[in-house]
Amino acid sequence: MSIKTISGLFLGAGLALGAAAGSAAAADWKPEKPINIIVPWSAGGSTDQVTRVVAAELEKALGATVVVQNQPGASGSIGSKSALESEPDGYTWTAGAAQDLGTYKVLGMLDTTIGDWNVYLDVANVAVIGVNADSPYQTMDDFLQAMKDDPNAISVATAGLNSGGHNAMEAVKSAAGGGYKHVTYDGGNPAVIATVSGETVATTQLAVEQAEMIRAKRIRPLAVLNGEPLVLEGYGEIPPITDFVDGVPIAPNYFGIFVPGTAPAEVVAALDKVWAESIANSQTLKDYAAGRGAVFAPFYGEDAQKRVLPAIQNNAYLLFDAGKAKVDPATIGIERMK
Amino acid sequence: MVDDNGVTVSEVPPTSDQPTRADALMGLVFVFFGLVIAFESWRMPRMEEFGSNIWSAPGVVPGMIGLCLAVMGFLLFVRSRPGLGITPPKGEAGSKTRVLITLALCFGFAFVAVGLIPFVLAAFLFLFSFIMIFDLQDRRVEGRALVGKALLKRIALALVVAGVAAWVITTVFEDIFYVRLP
Amino acid sequence: MSGLGFFLDALGAFLTSPMTLFNVAWATFLGIIVGSLPGLTATLGIALLTTLTFRMDGTQAILILICMYVGAIYGGSRSAILLNIPGTPANAATALDGFPLARSGQAGRAMGIATAGSFAGGMIGMLALALVAPVLGDFALSFGSFEFFWLALFGVLISGQITTTGDSLKGWIAGFIGLFVAMIGQEGIHSYQRFSYGSSDLAGGIGLLPALVGAFGFAEILTVMKARGFQSVRDASDRILPRFADVWRHKRTIVRSGLIGTFMGLLPGVGEDMGAWMSYAAAKRASKVKETFGKGSLDGLMAAETGNNAAVPGAIIPVLTLAVPGSAPAAVLLAAMFIHGIRPGPMIMIEYPAFVFEVVAMVAMAMVAMLIIGLLLTRPLLLVLAVPRAFLMPLIFTLCTIGSFAIAGRVFDIQVMLAFGLIGFVLREMNYPMAPLVLGIVLGDLLDKSFRRGMTLSDGDFVAFLTRPISAFLAIACVLMLLGAIPPVRRRVSSLLASLRKKPSEPST
């Protein structure tokens, strides 16, 4: 059913958002100075990791130095702003989750929408509902029942208000009812650790962040926020949330590289080519994704714009409904997901 | 470990620096500053309307920090009141002019010149003028002032040092650490 | 046990490969340079090398990164001793005694002691990593929000107390100013922008490093330039190789600091800097000549440098056993492991036990390289002392400027550096120590979030902060420290102690 939800969305949102990528037969672009990818999060995080893997693949494909620079602060808006305001010469890019870049305007942090960028995706991450191994909740049904019976006992650790984890938990709550106690941590990893140590009962962070603890049986995965089961190497299959509740909005969290729409056409053409030929076949990136419980997602152009939309809608209205939005998403062309 | 640290302190006689007028005034400044912080924290949203715990509101911790600062400022003021009439003893021999010149040079370089002109040029001008102004003055104070040829030699040395240093620093940061200089 | 076998295998493979030895040498050397330049830190160095070593084989890449990490934390002691400017936040405690030693003509000796301490601390941390990593990793889990709140508060209070003589008020004021500075910008729980008044620069927060570079670097430059006459010191140390007896005399300090440092490294969110401060505080408390601390005590210098370097292997322990970094540089190291397809975590001892001992061997290689290169570099570094201030100071200021900018490529950071330099200079002139201010900036975020998170978990009941054993212990330590600062209480306690002299002192926890 989730598959249908997604395709329905695509119809609704299939507007030509993509900046005129124009596969104008420009001559192959040869960078003549180092390319700067600004990672708007601190070194070592999930964006930083995957971006460094992609940067190395790009170095090979483009024959140029690619420098990854960390510029963290204000939920990633500082680094994104630097990339947005950089020289329009196509040498400064940014990276991260599309759902963040797409909602800075809603939060009043940065005047940009996802349509202002050329989107090059690398992996998608899905959220897993995991509980402390010593907790009494054996199945997702137990957990859903507990959310209704004693919401205050269900403490859920996430990486913050607009994190994938919080989005996932809100999605479950909206479909299944009940409640929970939201506890935020400095990132996905600390949130997972809080669940392992028993400070919270559950976490709904990304599969990447829980993978090792699931394998070590310190966290029991109850369901994955996706339409199909997630197979985790060394653990087995995690059932999809759709087996337990109907109507949970599904929105994979896509990560990628973002090139400002002002970049010269030959840069965009060259990158399109690199994505179609090198990134789509990159064994390194495939291995990285498989080992970390992420989904390999080498998409670009219009296709990528369509794919990232559900997560942006989801995030935008989550923030709006929580009173955190400065701008009504509807006024900037982000429709409510239904 | 250090559980009864209070006891440790008692063995060292309280050798607090002499109370001075500056301390008393700073005490008042901290009281004011702390209260402003607390007031600004009080004005922050409480987030209760979204079902959050009141203790998780953004203003809780800064508010407490502000109040602590105000209390400590008050203690400092009370303790230093005897010093109000005392003009602070002159600290180490120093010169206000020298500090002001240093400040002017440093701000002129880091605040004005960087970003306005290429970094390597800004660094060169800063290094050269700093070295010239202070080296010659230091030598005068020490009674080793230079004249004639020796002076020219010293100027040449300053030129070379400033040039080489500006170039090396710029190159190392741009080409080894990949910093895009302003 | 087969651990020793794995370790010896790895060590043997490293030692017989010329390429490996070459990599160890340049990476450690580069680390020392990065660490000693104000503004460049271990985190930045490791992140940079992660990209550069991407195409190397995983083992070589991780080895290079560990060498960079060890070298950088050690390298920061050089500028702390010679210039009173700690190269990384972890070396602020080093400057307290290292710089006075250098001013009294013993810079060479101080650097020798710092090197020996760093090496010994690293070795203690390495042993902990090799022998009890899984146990320690799990122990780190017993630190939750309640414990971290008290630990952060304790850190600021103790640093304020250590850096002032007798009277802690000014140290604590500086510490609380630092805590306030950490509050500026967007907070992590509700994403509310505190004290930023619409400025997107302020919303990003005040960076720790520009503040550090300003408060120590720029402020020190102003202090040096202020003096009319300036006596440059020559180094009069008879030798730069630390004497064995010199080191052996501090064996208790070394072991104590090594253990404290390792433990501080373990805890996520508190890293090398707390390792140094806690070791320093403990050494001062245990010392019979407390009054020499801060005036050139070899014991204090030894404690600070042993503590921060022991925290390096300490911070690697949870990286391996929990996939949680114990410090900011360790976070980048963890990311690099993931990138190279190594998956640390609770399963590592079962799935890849050989890798754990390979890392132990890497730490050993890095420590030995640091010892050798560090001692070789001492003599040339002493030349810095001979450079006239009119030449040296503008060079350092240029580095401070470019270093502040290099961290994130923001011009705003240069302005932060200038502002903190000015504030730092004024406060220092009035005898406020700068180290608690910087530690306050480091720990402010932890304090804030731990408190609010703990209150959320306990539904607003503060009692929960006092009922768990570790938090109760830390809470009592904080309260005692505050009480001890009140003169009447202090007098009472000391007279009480005097009357009880014959009995053993109060039971300690």
Side-chain angles (χ1 to χ4, degrees), chain A residues 43-44 49 52-53 56 59-60 69-71 74-75 78 81 109 152 181-186 189 193 196-197 199 212-213 215-216 218 233 291-292 324, chain C residues 47 50-51 54-55 138 141 144-145 186 189-190 193 200 203-204 322-324 331-332 335 338-339 343-344 346-347 407-410 445 449 453 456-457 459:
Chain A
Q49 281 175 35
R52 284 179 196 273
V53 174
E59 282 199 339
K60 243 190 294 177
Q69 185 185 35
N70 300 92
Q71 216 177 74
S75 300
I78 301 247
K81 186 175 177 220
M109 293 173 131
N152 210 30
K181 192 188 320 183
H182 186 211
V183 190
T184 57
Y185 289 83
D186 294 345
N189 240 321
I193 286 302
V196 171
S197 72
E199 187 161 300
E212 296 312 314
M213 291 301 171
R215 268 191 264 266
R218 307 281 288 261
E233 207 182 296
R292 307 282 293 127
K324 301 286 163 11
Chain C
T50 303
T51 317
F54 185 84
R55 289 203 207 94
D138 275 8
L141 284 181
S145 301
Q186 182 180 302
I189 292 185
H190 294 287
Q193 300 182 353
S200 75
L322 296 170
V324 177
V332 192
F338 282 134
I339 288 172
R343 291 201 307 250
M347 298 299 278
I407 298 153
R410 288 165 74 193
D445 191 53
K449 284 191 193 137
R453 195 179 293 141
T456 306
L457 285 165
D459 295 315

Coordinates of all heavy atoms in Angstrom, one line a residue, chain A residues 43-44 49 52-53 56 59-60 69-71 74-75 78 81 109 152 181-186 189 193 196-197 199 212-213 215-216 218 233 291-292 324, chain C residues 47 50-51 54-55 138 141 144-145 186 189-190 193 200 203-204 322-324 331-332 335 338-339 343-344 346-347 407-410 445 449 453 456-457 459:
Chain A
A43 N 32.1 16.8 11.5 CA 32.9 15.6 10.9 C 32.5 14.4 11.7 O 32.4 14.3 12.9 CB 34.3 15.9 11.0
G44 N 32.3 13.3 10.9 CA 32.0 12.0 11.5 C 30.6 11.6 11.5 O 30.2 10.4 11.7
Q49 N 30.1 11.0 6.5 CA 30.7 9.7 6.1 C 30.4 9.5 4.6 O 31.3 9.2 3.8 CB 30.0 8.6 6.9 CG 30.6 8.4 8.2 CD 29.8 7.3 9.0 OE1 29.4 6.3 8.4 NE2 29.7 7.5 10.3
R52 N 32.1 11.7 2.1 CA 33.5 11.5 1.9 C 33.7 10.3 0.9 O 34.6 10.3 0.1 CB 34.3 11.2 3.2 CG 34.5 12.6 3.9 CD 35.2 12.4 5.2 NE 35.1 13.6 6.0 CZ 35.9 14.7 5.9 NH1 36.9 14.7 5.1 NH2 35.7 15.8 6.7
V53 N 32.8 9.3 1.0 CA 32.9 8.2 0.1 C 32.6 8.7 -1.3 O 33.4 8.4 -2.3 CB 31.9 7.1 0.5 CG1 31.8 6.0 -0.6 CG2 32.2 6.5 1.8
A56 N 35.4 10.8 -2.9 CA 36.5 10.0 -3.4 C 36.2 9.5 -4.8 O 37.0 9.4 -5.7 CB 36.9 8.9 -2.5
E59 N 36.4 12.3 -7.3 CA 37.8 12.6 -7.6 C 38.3 11.8 -8.8 O 38.9 12.2 -9.7 CB 38.7 12.4 -6.4 CG 38.6 13.5 -5.4 CD 39.8 13.6 -4.4 OE1 40.5 12.5 -4.3 OE2 40.0 14.6 -3.8
K60 N 37.9 10.5 -8.6 CA 38.3 9.5 -9.7 C 37.7 9.9 -11.0 O 38.3 10.0 -12.0 CB 37.9 8.1 -9.3 CG 39.1 7.2 -9.1 CD 38.6 5.7 -8.9 CE 37.8 5.5 -7.7 NZ 37.2 4.1 -7.5
Q69 N 34.6 20.0 3.4 CA 34.8 21.0 4.5 C 33.6 20.9 5.4 O 32.4 21.0 4.9 CB 34.9 22.4 3.9 CG 35.3 23.4 5.0 CD 35.3 24.8 4.5 OE1 34.5 25.1 3.6 NE2 36.2 25.6 5.0
N70 N 33.8 20.8 6.7 CA 32.7 20.7 7.7 C 32.4 22.1 8.1 O 33.3 22.8 8.6 CB 33.0 19.8 8.8 CG 33.3 18.4 8.4 OD1 34.4 18.1 8.2 ND2 32.3 17.6 8.3
Q71 N 31.1 22.5 8.0 CA 30.7 23.8 8.5 C 29.4 23.7 9.2 O 28.4 24.0 8.7 CB 30.5 24.8 7.3 CG 31.0 26.2 7.5 CD 30.8 27.0 6.2 OE1 29.7 27.4 5.8 NE2 31.9 27.3 5.6
A74 N 23.4 25.5 13.5 CA 22.1 25.9 13.2 C 21.4 24.9 12.3 O 20.9 25.2 11.2 CB 21.9 27.3 12.7
S75 N 21.4 23.6 12.7 CA 20.7 22.5 11.9 C 21.2 22.4 10.5 O 20.4 22.1 9.6 CB 19.2 22.7 11.9 OG 18.7 22.6 13.2
I78 N 23.8 26.9 8.3 CA 24.9 27.8 8.1 C 25.8 27.3 6.9 O 26.1 28.1 6.0 CB 25.8 27.8 9.3 CG1 25.0 28.2 10.5 CG2 27.1 28.6 9.1 CD1 25.4 29.5 11.1
K81 N 23.9 27.8 3.7 CA 23.9 29.2 3.3 C 25.2 29.5 2.5 O 25.2 30.2 1.5 CB 23.7 30.0 4.5 CG 23.6 31.5 4.2 CD 23.3 32.3 5.5 CE 23.2 33.7 5.2 NZ 23.8 34.6 6.2
M109 N 14.8 29.8 8.2 CA 16.3 29.9 8.4 C 17.0 30.3 7.1 O 18.1 30.9 7.2 CB 16.8 28.5 8.8 CG 16.3 28.1 10.2 SD 16.8 26.4 10.4 CE 17.5 26.5 12.0
N152 N 3.2 7.7 28.8 CA 4.3 8.3 29.6 C 5.5 7.4 29.8 O 6.6 7.8 30.1 CB 3.8 8.9 30.9 CG 4.6 10.1 31.3 OD1 5.1 10.8 30.5 ND2 4.7 10.3 32.6
K181 N 6.7 9.8 25.1 CA 7.5 10.9 25.6 C 8.8 11.1 24.7 O 9.6 10.1 24.6 CB 8.0 10.5 27.0 CG 8.5 11.7 27.8 CD 9.2 11.4 29.1 CE 8.6 10.5 30.0 NZ 9.2 10.3 31.3
H182 N 8.9 12.2 24.1 CA 10.0 12.5 23.2 C 11.2 13.0 23.9 O 11.1 14.0 24.6 CB 9.5 13.5 22.1 CG 10.5 13.7 21.0 ND1 10.6 14.9 20.4 CD2 11.4 12.9 20.5 CE1 11.6 14.8 19.5 NE2 12.1 13.6 19.5
V183 N 12.3 12.3 23.7 CA 13.6 12.8 24.4 C 14.6 12.9 23.3 O 14.9 12.0 22.5 CB 14.1 11.7 25.4 CG1 15.2 12.3 26.2 CG2 12.9 11.3 26.3
T184 N 15.2 14.1 23.2 CA 16.1 14.4 22.1 C 17.6 14.3 22.5 O 17.9 14.7 23.6 CB 15.9 15.8 21.5 OG1 16.0 16.7 22.5 CG2 14.5 15.9 20.8
Y185 N 18.4 13.8 21.6 CA 19.8 13.7 21.8 C 20.6 14.5 20.8 O 20.0 15.0 19.8 CB 20.2 12.2 21.9 CG 19.7 11.6 23.1 CD1 18.4 11.1 23.2 CD2 20.5 11.5 24.3 CE1 17.9 10.6 24.4 CE2 20.0 11.0 25.5 CZ 18.7 10.5 25.5 OH 18.2 10.0 26.7
D186 N 21.9 14.5 20.9 CA 22.7 15.3 20.0 C 22.9 14.7 18.6 O 23.6 15.3 17.8 CB 24.1 15.5 20.6 CG 24.0 16.3 21.8 OD1 23.0 17.0 22.0 OD2 25.0 16.4 22.6
N189 N 23.5 8.6 16.9 CA 24.3 7.7 17.7 C 24.0 7.8 19.2 O 23.7 6.8 19.9 CB 25.8 7.9 17.4 CG 26.4 6.6 16.9 OD1 26.1 5.6 17.4 ND2 27.3 6.8 15.9
I193 N 22.5 5.0 21.8 CA 23.1 4.6 23.0 C 22.2 4.8 24.2 O 22.2 3.9 25.1 CB 24.4 5.4 23.2 CG1 25.5 4.9 22.2 CG2 25.0 5.3 24.6 CD1 25.8 3.4 22.3
V196 N 20.2 1.8 24.4 CA 21.0 0.6 24.8 C 21.2 0.6 26.3 O 21.1 -0.4 27.0 CB 22.3 0.6 24.1 CG1 23.2 -0.5 24.6 CG2 22.1 0.3 22.6
S197 N 21.5 1.8 26.8 CA 21.8 1.9 28.3 C 20.5 1.9 29.1 O 20.6 1.9 30.3 CB 22.6 3.2 28.6 OG 21.7 4.3 28.5
E199 N 18.3 4.3 29.3 CA 17.8 5.7 29.6 C 16.4 5.9 29.0 O 15.5 6.5 29.5 CB 18.8 6.8 29.3 CG 18.4 8.1 29.8 CD 19.5 9.1 29.9 OE1 20.5 8.8 30.6 OE2 19.5 10.1 29.2
E212 N 24.6 -1.9 14.3 CA 25.6 -2.7 15.2 C 24.9 -3.2 16.4 O 25.1 -4.3 16.9 CB 26.8 -1.9 15.5 CG 27.6 -1.5 14.3 CD 27.9 -2.6 13.4 OE1 28.3 -3.7 13.9 OE2 27.7 -2.5 12.1
M213 N 24.1 -2.3 17.0 CA 23.4 -2.7 18.3 C 22.3 -3.8 18.1 O 22.1 -4.6 18.9 CB 22.8 -1.5 19.0 CG 23.8 -0.5 19.5 SD 24.9 -1.3 20.7 CE 26.1 -0.1 20.9
R215 N 22.6 -6.1 15.7 CA 23.4 -7.3 15.5 C 23.9 -7.9 16.8 O 23.9 -9.1 17.0 CB 24.6 -7.0 14.6 CG 24.4 -7.2 13.2 CD 25.8 -7.1 12.5 NE 26.0 -5.7 12.0 CZ 25.7 -5.4 10.7 NH1 25.2 -6.2 9.9 NH2 25.9 -4.1 10.3
A216 N 24.2 -7.0 17.7 CA 24.7 -7.5 19.0 C 23.6 -7.8 20.0 O 23.8 -8.1 21.2 CB 25.6 -6.4 19.6
R218 N 21.5 -5.9 21.5 CA 21.3 -5.0 22.6 C 20.1 -4.2 22.3 O 19.5 -3.6 23.2 CB 22.5 -4.0 22.7 CG 23.9 -4.7 22.8 CD 24.2 -5.2 24.1 NE 24.5 -4.2 25.1 CZ 25.7 -3.8 25.5 NH1 26.7 -4.4 25.0 NH2 25.9 -2.9 26.4
E233 N 22.2 -7.5 7.3 CA 23.3 -8.5 7.3 C 23.6 -8.9 8.8 O 23.8 -8.1 9.6 CB 24.5 -7.9 6.7 CG 25.5 -8.8 6.0 CD 26.6 -7.9 5.5 OE1 26.4 -7.1 4.6 OE2 27.7 -8.1 6.0
G291 N 26.7 -2.4 4.0 CA 27.2 -2.7 5.3 C 26.6 -1.8 6.4 O 26.6 -2.2 7.6
R292 N 26.0 -0.7 6.0 CA 25.5 0.2 7.0 C 24.0 0.2 7.1 O 23.4 1.0 7.8 CB 25.9 1.6 6.7 CG 27.4 1.8 6.6 CD 28.2 1.8 7.9 NE 27.9 3.0 8.7 CZ 27.4 3.0 9.9 NH1 27.3 1.8 10.5 NH2 27.2 4.1 10.6
K324 N 6.6 25.0 14.9 CA 7.9 25.4 14.7 C 8.2 26.2 13.4 O 9.2 26.7 13.2 CB 8.9 24.2 14.7 CG 8.8 23.4 16.0 CD 9.5 24.1 17.1 CE 9.2 23.6 18.5 NZ 8.5 22.5 18.8
Chain C
A47 N 40.1 14.8 10.0 CA 39.1 15.0 8.9 C 39.9 15.1 7.6 O 39.5 14.5 6.6 CB 38.2 16.1 9.2
T50 N 41.5 11.9 6.5 CA 40.5 10.9 6.1 C 40.3 11.0 4.6 O 40.2 9.9 3.9 CB 39.1 11.2 6.8 OG1 39.4 11.2 8.2 CG2 38.2 10.1 6.5
T51 N 40.2 12.2 4.0 CA 40.0 12.3 2.6 C 41.2 11.9 1.9 O 41.2 11.2 0.8 CB 39.6 13.7 2.3 OG1 38.7 14.2 3.2 CG2 39.0 13.8 0.9
F54 N 41.9 8.1 1.6 CA 40.7 7.3 1.3 C 41.0 6.1 0.4 O 40.5 5.0 0.6 CB 39.7 8.2 0.5 CG 38.4 7.5 0.2 CD1 37.4 7.4 1.1 CD2 38.3 6.8 -1.0 CE1 36.3 6.8 0.9 CE2 37.1 6.2 -1.3 CZ 36.1 6.1 -0.3
R55 N 42.0 6.3 -0.5 CA 42.2 5.1 -1.4 C 43.3 4.2 -0.9 O 43.6 3.2 -1.5 CB 42.7 5.7 -2.8 CG 41.5 6.3 -3.5 CD 41.7 6.3 -5.0 NE 40.8 7.5 -5.4 CZ 41.3 8.7 -5.6 NH1 42.6 8.9 -5.5 NH2 40.5 9.6 -6.0
D138 N 31.3 -0.7 28.5 CA 30.0 -0.9 29.1 C 29.8 0.0 30.3 O 28.7 0.5 30.6 CB 29.7 -2.3 29.5 CG 29.1 -3.1 28.3 OD1 29.1 -2.5 27.2 OD2 28.7 -4.2 28.5
L141 N 28.4 3.3 29.6 CA 27.0 3.4 29.5 C 26.3 3.8 30.8 O 25.1 4.2 30.8 CB 26.4 2.0 29.0 CG 26.7 1.7 27.6 CD1 26.1 0.3 27.3 CD2 26.0 2.7 26.7
G144 N 24.5 8.5 32.3 CA 23.4 9.0 31.5 C 23.3 10.5 31.7 O 24.2 11.2 32.2
S145 N 22.1 11.1 31.3 CA 21.9 12.5 31.4 C 22.2 13.1 32.8 O 22.8 14.1 33.0 CB 20.5 12.9 31.0 OG 20.2 12.4 29.7
Q186 N 21.5 28.3 18.2 CA 20.3 27.4 18.2 C 20.6 26.3 19.1 O 21.6 25.6 19.1 CB 20.1 26.9 16.8 CG 18.9 26.0 16.7 CD 18.7 25.5 15.2 OE1 18.6 26.3 14.3 NE2 18.8 24.2 15.1
I189 N 17.3 21.0 21.4 CA 16.1 20.3 21.8 C 14.8 20.8 21.1 O 14.1 20.1 20.5 CB 15.9 20.3 23.3 CG1 17.0 19.4 23.9 CG2 14.5 19.7 23.7 CD1 17.0 19.2 25.4
H190 N 14.7 22.1 21.1 CA 13.5 22.7 20.4 C 13.9 23.5 19.2 O 13.1 24.2 18.6 CB 12.7 23.6 21.3 CG 12.1 22.9 22.5 ND1 11.0 22.1 22.3 CD2 12.4 22.8 23.8 CE1 10.6 21.6 23.5 NE2 11.5 22.0 24.4
Q193 N 16.4 29.6 18.6 CA 17.7 30.3 18.5 C 17.8 31.3 19.7 O 17.1 32.3 19.8 CB 17.7 31.1 17.2 CG 17.6 30.2 16.0 CD 17.7 30.9 14.7 OE1 17.7 32.1 14.6 NE2 17.8 30.1 13.6
S200 N 22.2 35.3 11.6 CA 22.3 33.9 11.3 C 23.7 33.5 11.8 O 23.9 32.3 12.1 CB 22.1 33.7 9.8 OG 23.2 34.1 9.1
A203 N 23.2 32.6 15.3 CA 22.3 31.4 15.4 C 23.2 30.2 15.3 O 22.8 29.1 15.9 CB 21.3 31.4 14.3
G204 N 24.3 30.3 14.6 CA 25.2 29.1 14.5 C 26.1 28.9 15.8 O 26.8 27.9 15.9
L322 N 31.5 0.2 21.2 CA 30.1 0.7 21.2 C 29.8 1.5 19.9 O 28.6 1.8 19.6 CB 29.8 1.6 22.3 CG 29.8 1.1 23.8 CD1 29.7 2.2 24.8 CD2 28.7 0.1 24.0
A323 N 30.8 1.7 19.1 CA 30.7 2.6 17.9 C 30.2 4.0 18.4 O 29.4 4.6 17.7 CB 29.7 2.0 16.9
V324 N 30.6 4.4 19.5 CA 30.3 5.8 20.0 C 31.6 6.4 20.3 O 32.5 5.9 21.0 CB 29.5 5.7 21.4 CG1 29.3 7.1 21.9 CG2 28.2 5.0 21.2
A331 N 35.3 10.9 16.9 CA 34.2 10.8 16.1 C 34.6 10.7 14.6 O 34.0 9.9 13.8 CB 33.2 12.0 16.3
V332 N 35.6 11.5 14.2 CA 36.1 11.4 12.9 C 36.8 10.1 12.6 O 36.6 9.5 11.5 CB 37.0 12.6 12.6 CG1 37.2 12.7 11.1 CG2 36.4 13.9 13.1
A335 N 34.2 7.5 11.9 CA 33.6 7.7 10.6 C 34.6 7.1 9.6 O 34.1 6.4 8.6 CB 33.4 9.2 10.3
F338 N 34.2 3.4 9.4 CA 33.0 3.0 8.7 C 33.3 3.1 7.2 O 32.9 2.2 6.4 CB 31.8 3.9 9.0 CG 31.1 3.5 10.3 CD1 30.8 4.5 11.2 CD2 30.8 2.2 10.6 CE1 30.2 4.1 12.4 CE2 30.2 1.8 11.8 CZ 29.9 2.8 12.7
I339 N 33.9 4.2 6.8 CA 34.2 4.5 5.4 C 35.1 3.3 4.8 O 34.9 2.9 3.7 CB 34.9 5.8 5.2 CG1 33.8 6.9 5.5 CG2 35.5 6.0 3.8 CD1 34.4 8.3 5.5
R343 N 33.5 -2.3 10.8 CA 32.3 -2.0 11.6 C 32.5 -2.2 13.0 O 32.3 -3.3 13.6 CB 31.2 -2.9 11.1 CG 30.7 -2.5 9.7 CD 29.3 -3.0 9.5 NE 29.2 -4.4 9.8 CZ 29.0 -5.4 8.9 NH1 28.9 -5.0 7.6 NH2 28.9 -6.6 9.2
P344 N 33.0 -1.2 13.7 CA 33.1 -1.3 15.2 C 31.8 -1.4 15.8 O 30.8 -1.1 15.3 CB 33.8 -0.1 15.6 CG 34.1 0.7 14.4 CD 33.2 0.2 13.3
P346 N 29.5 -3.5 19.5 CA 29.6 -4.5 20.5 C 30.0 -5.9 20.0 O 30.5 -6.8 20.7 CB 28.2 -4.6 21.1 CG 27.4 -3.5 20.4 CD 28.2 -2.9 19.4
M347 N 29.9 -6.1 18.7 CA 30.2 -7.4 18.1 C 31.7 -7.5 17.7 O 32.1 -8.6 17.3 CB 29.4 -7.7 16.9 CG 27.9 -7.7 17.1 SD 27.5 -9.0 18.2 CE 27.5 -10.4 17.1
I407 N 38.8 26.8 10.4 CA 38.0 25.8 11.0 C 36.7 25.6 10.2 O 36.3 24.5 10.0 CB 37.6 26.3 12.4 CG1 38.9 26.4 13.3 CG2 36.6 25.3 13.1 CD1 38.8 27.4 14.4
A408 N 36.1 26.7 9.8 CA 34.8 26.5 9.0 C 34.7 27.4 7.8 O 33.7 27.4 7.2 CB 33.6 26.7 10.0
G409 N 35.7 28.1 7.6 CA 35.7 29.0 6.4 C 34.7 30.2 6.6 O 34.1 30.7 5.7
R410 N 34.6 30.6 7.9 CA 33.6 31.8 8.1 C 34.4 33.0 8.6 O 35.2 32.9 9.6 CB 32.7 31.4 9.3 CG 31.6 30.4 8.8 CD 31.0 29.8 10.1 NE 30.1 30.8 10.7 CZ 29.5 30.6 11.9 NH1 29.9 29.6 12.6 NH2 28.7 31.5 12.4
D445 N 27.1 23.1 26.5 CA 26.1 22.4 25.8 C 25.7 21.1 26.5 O 24.5 20.7 26.6 CB 26.6 22.1 24.4 CG 25.5 21.6 23.4 OD1 24.5 22.2 23.3 OD2 25.7 20.5 22.9
K449 N 21.9 20.4 27.9 CA 21.0 19.3 27.3 C 20.8 18.3 28.4 O 19.7 17.7 28.5 CB 21.6 18.8 26.1 CG 21.4 19.6 24.9 CD 21.8 18.9 23.6 CE 21.9 19.9 22.5 NZ 23.1 19.6 21.7
R453 N 17.2 17.3 29.5 CA 16.8 15.9 29.1 C 16.4 15.1 30.4 O 15.5 14.4 30.4 CB 18.0 15.3 28.4 CG 17.6 14.0 27.6 CD 18.9 13.5 26.9 NE 19.3 14.4 25.9 CZ 20.6 14.7 25.6 NH1 21.5 14.2 26.4 NH2 20.9 15.5 24.6
T456 N 13.1 16.0 31.6 CA 12.1 15.4 30.8 C 11.9 14.0 31.1 O 10.8 13.5 31.3 CB 12.5 15.5 29.3 OG1 12.8 16.9 29.0 CG2 11.3 15.0 28.4
L457 N 13.0 13.3 31.3 CA 12.9 11.8 31.6 C 12.2 11.6 33.0 O 11.5 10.7 33.2 CB 14.3 11.2 31.7 CG 14.9 11.0 30.3 CD1 16.4 10.7 30.4 CD2 14.3 9.8 29.6
D459 N 10.1 13.6 34.4 CA 8.9 14.4 34.5 C 9.0 15.5 35.5 O 8.1 15.8 36.2 CB 7.7 13.5 34.9 CG 7.4 12.4 33.9 OD1 7.3 12.8 32.7 OD2 7.2 11.2 34.2

